[in-house]
């Protein structure tokens, strides 16, 4: 299986702050794909507890995960396709990423 290694860094201020999300596709052992990354605030500090939405518009699928310590998140067992990623935390949210390919 081929995975295109692409890291997306996005940030957009809402209200008083901003959140950035970095997404990187990765392979899971069972052949399904995963997306991993880090959520950071405008100051570059990791954000724990942010919701991360992964959306595959073609298949009408949406997955949500929560960032852990260090702002890291991992969405596993994703069906192949293109996903956009957006982090949401409090009054802040990132811009929606360019598509990340999971194959």
């Amino acid at each position: 299986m081929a995975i295109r290694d692409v890291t997306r860094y996005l940030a957009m201020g809402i209200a008083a702050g901003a959140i950035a999300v970095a997404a990187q596709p990765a392979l899971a052992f069972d052949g399904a794909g995963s997306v991993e990354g880090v959520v950071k605030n405008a100051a570059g500090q990791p954000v724990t507890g942010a919701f991360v939405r992964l959306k595959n518009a073609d298949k009408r699928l949406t997955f949500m995960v929560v960032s852990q310590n260090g702002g890291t998140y991992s969405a596993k067992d994703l069906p192949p396709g293109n996903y956009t990623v957006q982090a949401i935390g409090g009054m802040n949210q990132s811009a929606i990423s360019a598509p990340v390919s999971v194959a």
Side-chain angles (χ1 to χ4, degrees):
M1 290 192 171
I3 294 290
R4 182 178 63 169
D5 281 312
V6 178
T7 301
R8 305 280 185 218
Y9 294 94
L10 306 161
M12 180 173 104
I14 302 294
I19 291 179
V21 61
Q24 182 171 353
L27 283 178
F29 292 107
D30 62 17
S34 65
V35 175
E36 301 170 342
V38 178
V39 178
K40 296 182 180 180
N41 64 18
Q45 300 298 316
V47 177
T48 300
F51 290 101
V52 179
R53 178 175 43 214
L54 299 102
K55 186 173 181 179
N56 181 324
D58 294 336
K59 295 183 180 179
R60 297 182 182 181
L61 297 172
T62 300
F63 298 91
M64 296 286 285
V65 295
V66 177
S67 64
Q68 303 301 308
N69 290 334
T72 61
Y73 69 89
S74 179
K76 299 178 181 179
D77 300 324
L78 299 174
N82 292 317
Y83 291 83
T84 57
V85 182
Q86 183 178 31
I88 303 164
M91 297 291 294
N92 306 307
Q93 63 186 22
S94 72
I96 298 172
S97 75
V100 174
S101 179
V102 175

